[in-house]
Every structure is written in C-alpha cells, then in structure tokens.
Amino acid sequence: MTELSGGPSLPQERRVVTAIPGPKSQELLARKNAAVAGGVGSVLPVFTVRAGGGVIEDVDGNSLIDFGSGIAVTSVGSSAEAVVRRASAQLADFTHTCFMVTPYEGYVEVCEELARLTPGDHAKKSALFNSGAEAVENAVKIARSYTKRQAVVVFDHGYHGRTNLTMALTAKNMPYKHGFGPFAPEVYRVPLAYPYRWLTGPENCAEEAAAQAIDMISKQIGAENVAAIIIEPILGEGGFIEPAKGFLPRIAEFAKANGIVFVADEIQSGFCRTGQWFACEDEGIVPDLITTAKGIAGGLPLAAVTGRAEIMDAAHSGGLGGTYGGNPVACAAALGAIETMRELDLNAKAKRIEEVMKGRLAAMQEKYDIIGDLRGRGAMIAIELVKSGTKDPNPEVTAAVAKACHSAGLLVLTCGTYGNVLRFLPPLVIGEDLLNEGLDVLESAFAEL
C-alpha cells in the first residue's frame, strides 16, 4: 500500500512559521475569490495539504491544532488507516454503479452496522444518502408517508440543514436562511429547554419548557396533524445546548402517545462524539428514526436515516434514493470508521477529552467572568461568552478570541444563535499533550483580551 503522507505519520505538533494565513494561502485565497462563489465562506483561509491525528498542515508549513474536526466529521482523524485502506480497496474495484441500478454489499453492511449501533432492540432498517440535510429531508418524507400527516415540529435554536425544507426547519436566519425564502410550509417551532437562558432558572427549565412545547403543539397545530417531531439531542449550530434533563423523555413520551414519529437528529452528535455512540442514549431515548452523517465515514460524504422497520418501509418502492446515495467508496470508508471507533474505544477517548477540557475550562471560567456557561459532553464541549456581569451575549469577544487562537495555530469554531459560543470538536484520536497545548493557546487568548 502507498505510504501515507498524512494521518498517523504526520508530526503531532503545533508549528507556526508564517503569519496565518501565510503567503501561499493568501495566493490561493485570491484564486478562490476569483473562482468560487462568494457565498461559500471559510472560517480560516489556510489551505490544507495534509491532516491527521489532531493537526492540520497548510501550504505554508504551518501545523495547526485541530479543535474543529471538519465540523465533527473527522472524529477518527483525517486519514485513519482503516478508512484509507478500505476506501482505497473499493476505489480499485469500482467507484460507482448506483445502488438503485445494481446494488453492492457495502451498502447493506453499513445498514446492518447501523441497526446494531443505534438505540433500541427493535427491527430496524436504513436508507443511505449524501448529506445531513438529505437525511433530515428523507426522515420527513418517511414520517409523512407513515403517518399520513403533514406538520413537522422543530425547536428554538435548532439547525437541520441548508436545503429548502431544512432551512425551514432551522431556527437561525443569518447566514442560513437570509434572502433564500419562501420556505416549505407546515413547519412549526416550539420552545427548547435551554438551561442557561431559561428565565425562571435551570431547575425549572425541563418541566416548563416541555409543558410550553406540548401546549403549543396541542393548541396551535393539533397533535393529530403532526407527522414528526425533530430534535438534536445536543444542539449543534444553535450553541451546543444540552436540553435540561427530563425534557427529551417528556417530548418523546408525548410523541409516542400521539402517534408522532420522534426523530433524533444525531448528525453532529453521533458516532462516539459525546462519549456514547449516540447522544440520545444519555437519557435512554429510543427514537423512531435517527439521522446520521458527519462522523459516519471519516470524511467521505455519507448520511443515513435509520429507524423502526415498519416506519422505514412506509415509503413506496422508488420513493427513497438518489444517484450517489450510499456510494460504495463512502460505504467502505464508513465501515473503516466504525472499525476504528471500536478498536480504539473512541467513546472512552471522548469521555477523557471531556474530563480534560471541562477541568481546564472550568478553571478559566473561574478566572474570566465573560465565560458565562460551560456545557457539552464528550468531545462536544462549548463555552458561551457574555458581557461582564451579565448574560448579554458577547459575539464581539467571541470573534476576537477565535481570531487570536487562529493566529497562534489553534483552529476553533464559533456557533450559537447569538454568535457568542466557542465550540470545541477535537478529533477523538487527538493526543492529550496536544489537547492541553490547544487549551494553553485558548487561555492565552483570554489573557490577552
């Protein structure tokens, strides 16, 4: 096999040898601006040549610590051995036939793995797609076909994608929805149990938020009209919000009692990211349907809807699919990613990342009162930044801290409805020394404010 230039062979070190972005990246950025649509932005315009473990190396020779994982995609690293091995072997055999034309075993194997890994011991089936947004759209199609109903319920601060329907499902206007309407109808938004910002306090959050959401569904929509309730067990783009304990079970129980399909959107939180295979396991939630993407295939485009066999079979033959859905190379990569997750026990590694990060971040929170909230699980951790002495969102300082980290060779991402959350998504294979060095850079960024 060809020797790898990235992945495990890449030196696991932070190395800043030029300004970031450096001169070669700036040249490429000029080419990007001339050739790529302006709507396609980049968080940090350093152009990658290699990546692996916990680092990204750019064209100027800088090596950045990666606290982003391609937005929770490269959980097993950017070129994990099993992913490269399996995908390379599949490339040598064939790149595509279209599963809807002539099927292949890899697609079936991925669906079998999803049936084993997702919560619940009921009979399950899956359908494979290309992206998280496609998975969510198809979950809605399946739920509508099964229930013969139309309405879809989502939650404040939720994010579900960039297609027309998933923009309608998404809460935040800028940059996801602004100027792109009109959107798909029969989408209804209800309150989320957001402990840090619940007006009567976090101790009341779960009960009050669930009661409000259920009342709105019952009174304003009619439970009998609802096909699906869709929620992220830990919100992603909305700010890594963990719904208050008790909220998710209450909503799931309401859905079950009213014949509503309960959909867990695990696109960002799935595949060991939170220290469990899926975040909904934390409160024992067994969704009717679960949508996955991002971490499923080690960086190759793949997504899935997995759920109760009788619900998944509701759509007529030919009603689900797509030319590239479940591409054989992506399926091979997924099997390699799952192999890596099992062999390296990445759930345990995610829990260790949480232990290290929360310990360090809690100490920073004691020191800097602009860190209003520390939350998340596993390697899906965030801090919400506020104005000193208040809970007023502080997006300006959030952007400044992110910029300082980038300049010092640490890739961090921001998120949140108010743009005031720093989110941390390191690869689950990151070394502990590198993890702590990244946290040192973050702490220095706060000290320099």
Side-chain angles (χ1 to χ4, degrees), residues 43-393:
V43 170
L44 179 57
V46 297
F47 282 74
T48 305
V49 290
R50 279 175 290 275
V55 298
I56 294 172
E57 186 177 307
D58 74 7
V59 289
D60 291 287
N62 299 300
S63 178
L64 283 71
I65 299 174
D66 181 11
F67 274 15
S69 297
I71 317 183
V73 168
T74 55
S75 297
V76 297
S78 297
S79 47
E81 185 277 333
V83 172
V84 174
R85 168 171 43 84
R86 286 177 178 256
S88 298
Q90 180 58 54
L91 277 167
D93 289 340
F94 62 94
T95 60
H96 182 67
T97 66
C98 183
F99 190 77
M100 299 184 301
V101 177
T102 59
Y104 36 86
E105 186 178 4
Y107 189 117
V108 177
E109 285 186 277
V110 171
C111 294
E112 290 170 339
E113 285 283 19
L114 288 167
R116 280 189 283 268
L117 293 172
T118 51
D121 57 5
H122 51 276
K124 300 173 202 164
K125 292 188 177 183
S126 295
L128 304 184
F129 306 98
N130 302 295
S131 69
E134 271 192 76
V136 173
E137 290 231 0
N138 278 279
V140 171
K141 287 165 58 177
I142 292 164
R144 284 174 168 166
S145 183
Y146 178 72
T147 62
K148 312 304 181 193
R149 304 171 182 178
Q150 294 184 347
V152 180
V153 172
V154 289
F155 292 82
D156 286 340
H157 309 287
Y159 175 86
H160 299 286
R162 294 176 181 266
T163 58
N164 186 265
L165 175 57
T166 55
M167 281 191 293
L169 301 174
T170 291
K172 190 175 180 179
N173 174 55
M174 194 67 180
Y176 306 115
K177 302 168 71 168
H178 187 72
F180 297 144
F183 302 115
E186 288 301 312
V187 172
Y188 301 87
R189 197 171 318 283
V190 298
L192 175 84
Y194 187 166
Y196 180 65
R197 295 198 171 274
W198 197 255
L199 290 177
T200 61
E203 67 278 5
N204 301 313
C205 184
E207 184 179 344
E208 292 180 1
Q212 288 182 25
I214 290 168
D215 186 65
M216 288 178 67
I217 295 168
S218 301
K219 301 291 196 309
Q220 298 182 26
I221 310 164
E224 68 277 10
N225 296 316
V226 179
I229 294 175
I230 307 174
I231 191 166
E232 302 160 276
I234 297 180
L235 276 69
E237 301 294 322
F240 280 27
I241 302 163
E242 285 188 273
K245 297 295 185 192
F247 178 78
L248 286 172
R250 181 90 183 275
I251 299 298
E253 288 164 10
F254 172 78
K256 184 176 181 180
N258 288 277
I260 300 168
V261 176
F262 184 83
V263 183
D265 180 343
E266 292 261 12
I267 288 159
Q268 192 159 162
S269 58
F271 292 99
C272 306
R273 177 52 58 180
T274 64
Q276 295 169 293
W277 281 99
F278 299 97
C280 60
E281 295 177 70
D282 184 64
E283 292 189 86
I285 303 294
V286 178
D288 296 312
L289 301 179
I290 185 167
T291 60
T292 53
K294 291 193 183 293
I296 193 173
L300 275 73
L302 189 69
V305 182
T306 302
R308 298 183 184 278
E310 67 274 16
I311 299 177
M312 291 297 299
D313 281 342
H316 54 273
S317 179
L320 304 178
T323 303
Y324 296 108
N327 169 270
V329 181
C331 286
L335 296 169
I338 292 167
E339 175 188 332
T340 304
M341 291 170 197
R342 283 200 180 102
E343 288 190 357
L344 299 183
D345 192 1
L346 293 191
N347 279 317
K349 289 189 179 294
K351 289 174 183 174
R352 177 57 185 161
I353 289 169
E354 176 184 352
E355 185 180 0
V356 171
M357 293 199 83
K358 279 195 168 176
R360 293 286 306 274
L361 291 168
M364 291 183 216
Q365 187 178 27
E366 287 286 321
K367 196 172 180 180
Y368 303 105
D369 70 349
I370 59 171
I371 301 177
D373 194 30
L374 164 59
R375 56 183 180 250
R377 296 201 304 273
M380 189 174 182
I381 304 294
I383 50 177
E384 181 166 352
L385 304 189
V386 294
K387 294 176 181 176
S388 184
T390 76
K391 285 191 177 182
D392 295 341

Side-chain angles (χ1 to χ4, degrees), residues 423-447:
R423 57 174 160 171
F424 309 112
L425 290 160
L428 304 182
V429 295
I430 193 171
E432 200 162 310
D433 289 347
L434 205 61
L435 180 66
N436 273 303
E437 186 176 353
L439 291 164
D440 291 341
V441 172
L442 177 67
E443 189 159 10
S444 295
F446 277 108

